[in-house]
Amino acid sequence: MSNAIESTLNETRVFPPDARATAGATISGIEAYRKLAQEAEQDPEGFWRRQANEQLTWSKPFTQVLDESDPPFYRWFGDGELNVSANCLDVHVDNGRGDKTAILFEADDGTVTPITYRELLARVCRVANGISKLGYKKGDRAIIYLPMSIEAVVAMQACARLGITHSVVFGGFSSKSLQERIVDVGATLVITADEQARGGKHLPLKPAVDEALKLGGCDAVKHVIVYRRTGGKTAWTEGRDLWLHDVEAGQADTCAPVQVNAEHPLFILYTSGSTGKPKGVQHSSAGYLLWSLLTVKWTFDARADDVYWCTADVGWITGHTYITYGPLAAGLTQVVFEGVPTYPNAGRFWDMVARHKVTVFYTAPTAIRSLVKASEATPEAHPRNYDLSSLRILGTVGEPINPEAWIWYHKNVGQERCPIVDTWWQTETGGHMITPLPGATPLKPGSCTLPLPGITAAIVDETGADVEQGNGGFLVIKRPWPSMIRNIWGDPERFKKSYFPSELRGYYLAGDGAQRDADGYFWIMGRIDDVLNVSGHRLGTMEVESALVSHELVAEAAVVGRPDDTTGEAVVAFVVLKGNRPEGEEAVAIAKQLRDWVAREIGPIAKPKDIRFGDNLPKTRSGKIMRRLLRVVAKGEEVTQDVSTLENPAILEQLAKSQ
Ligand code: PRX
């Protein structure tokens, strides 16, 4: 157990919402929360019917709320039809809100470009018309590999408008990862940019697409549409490559939204699991949109005059739900940021909050922890130097937040005035699941508090029975909810096995361990599988292992996580080479080579922080690698566990030494 989690469990401070937070809140006071939760509990079908009718605009109303005839393949609002982009854009323009700013885009170099809902709709329509003229239509799959930009939101919304299922690949993933996703999803179209601008540097994107398409299996891709972001030099394949501005040019500002079935796959987003191959998490249209919108309204207490800012990248689920879909469906004005929190200095976030008068700010614990450190090192970057009085709600997502970071955020950024919503959820859940409500829930630093109305979260043992309060167990969701994962693209068996194991009574298994305290508050303890959380990003240990063993020098590799003050967890790799165990400078050089290799195979986020070389790995007599021992060794702790089943105990000493 990490120190962070231990200190979390000893946390006793409680911060009830004050009058400023409860006044006029969407859900005001804990009683209002309980009432809504009770309505959902007593009559789930009626509750979801009411929400779906009140929140969404349907072209064909649904009659059936939930079809449970083939679990776990649930269908929500299954005979209804709508269009997601029309629900995010047209609804506002049609209702007199067209001149409201939808996005305030801030580029890496500080240039700000605002766009209204009317302009955004026109832009989406022009791009959709251009794509449709090229022959793409409902049911096709498009890969989007774009930097944070208005164009990324436009590309996603244009796909949604045409019923094209998008799969966004984070710009930090390598050409190899990109190719695997292109092949798995069966993409026929790729939308990318020449380069991305981050931290004052220009980084290539289009070359990674060119390389990916050469890696094989991508013959179905007919076009690569390229957004000219920097004007950097780009190789060009005539006939296949098209500039986005040419695709848009001359297209009409209107485009009839293609109505799709509620269950039509809006997108597929790849995430790491406990095997080497990432899973294509398939989401629906209506259920997903409903929950994106409702959670923006509830968790962020959305108001018409808010300036909302989620710092995530659209390459992750947070960017999908809390940038591209939820805030737009809620008609908010939001900041979209291209750059990094530390450029030109570590005060960038606070400077932007002050300049744009941000009211709701949503970021990751890892960003907070790194800014705590940075503002100690460079006092000019400390939040106290900025006018943060516009802020009213703060949020975190992606990993447990340790109470120290929580208190720092609360004091220095929230000025002890802003509630912090610590939102627990996953790529698979589509939206927030367990989270405080800013105008209702008393906060405890480090706890994601209580499940949202309609979410039947529980902690169970390995037979699916509820554990007693105070005991740890598996976090499950007992009943289906509208924005849940629908399938793993192309692998329904893996979907069933991974998320609905038969011994757990049909519950959705989140893959996290958790505990509940006497107030019913949830405390997330981290993953129970071989998935790491590095800077809020999910990484499968097997994924990194497969990358390592595909290197010509490597015979065997085992990867574990180690608690890290800044990134939450860090990747530690234990490697056996085909040749002799390297030492000294040679070991340093090979470790660098292997790190770069992993960056090329997966992406820089997967680079091991520490690589240790051994003559062998600690194994049981039957040949199984003993990872629990490696976790201890990675932490630099002495092995006190029973090693009697270990075939080669001497190896532990060798692996304890870093190169
Ligand atoms: O372990 C949990 C952790 O992140 C995992 C989900 O990762 P991903 O699908 O990439 O989605 C991240 C953004 C939603 C979870 O299984 N996690 C996410 N939020 C929290 C969290 N752990 C603790 N507290 C959270 N608030």
Side-chain angles (χ1 to χ4, degrees), residues 339-387:
V340 298
T342 47
Y343 178 80
N345 59 54
R348 179 70 181 262
F349 274 2
W350 322 130
D351 181 47
M352 285 180 62
V353 167
R355 277 189 289 110
H356 297 299
K357 300 203 167 24
V358 171
T359 57
V360 179
F361 179 70
Y362 190 37
T363 196
T366 191
I368 298 165
R369 287 192 299 266
S370 71
L371 294 176
V372 173
K373 274 197 186 159
S375 53
E376 275 161 16
T378 43
E380 352 31 296
H382 195 281
R384 69 172 158 259
N385 302 317
Y386 300 86
D387 176 7

Side-chain angles (χ1 to χ4, degrees), residues 527-540:
R527 300 286 309 188
I528 50 165
D529 51 12
D530 292 322
V531 172
L532 306 183
N533 192 325
V534 180
S535 298
H537 301 317
R538 251 162 88 166
L539 259 186

Side-chain angles (χ1 to χ4, degrees), residues 269-272 281 316-319 322 362 365 396-401 421-432 434-435 446-448 475 508 510-513 523-529 531-533 536-539:
L269 183 60
Y270 285 83
T271 189
S272 297
V281 173
W316 310 110
I317 189 68
T318 309
Y322 297 108
Y362 190 37
T396 70
V397 55
E399 48 182 323
I401 180 161
V421 290
D422 173 355
T423 59
W424 177 84
W425 60 295
Q426 310 177 291
T427 305
E428 294 87 342
T429 69
H432 301 156
I434 311 180
T435 175
S447 168
C448 52
L475 178 56
Y508 166 81
D512 279 344
W523 299 80
I524 305 294
M525 323 276 294
R527 300 286 309 188
I528 50 165
D529 51 12
V531 172
L532 306 183
N533 192 325
H537 301 317
R538 251 162 88 166
L539 259 186

Side-chain angles (χ1 to χ4, degrees), residues 410-428:
H410 177 66
K411 277 201 177 132
N412 296 293
V413 183
Q415 298 170 338
E416 300 187 27
R417 178 188 73 243
C418 306
I420 297 179
V421 290
D422 173 355
T423 59
W424 177 84
W425 60 295
Q426 310 177 291
T427 305
E428 294 87 342

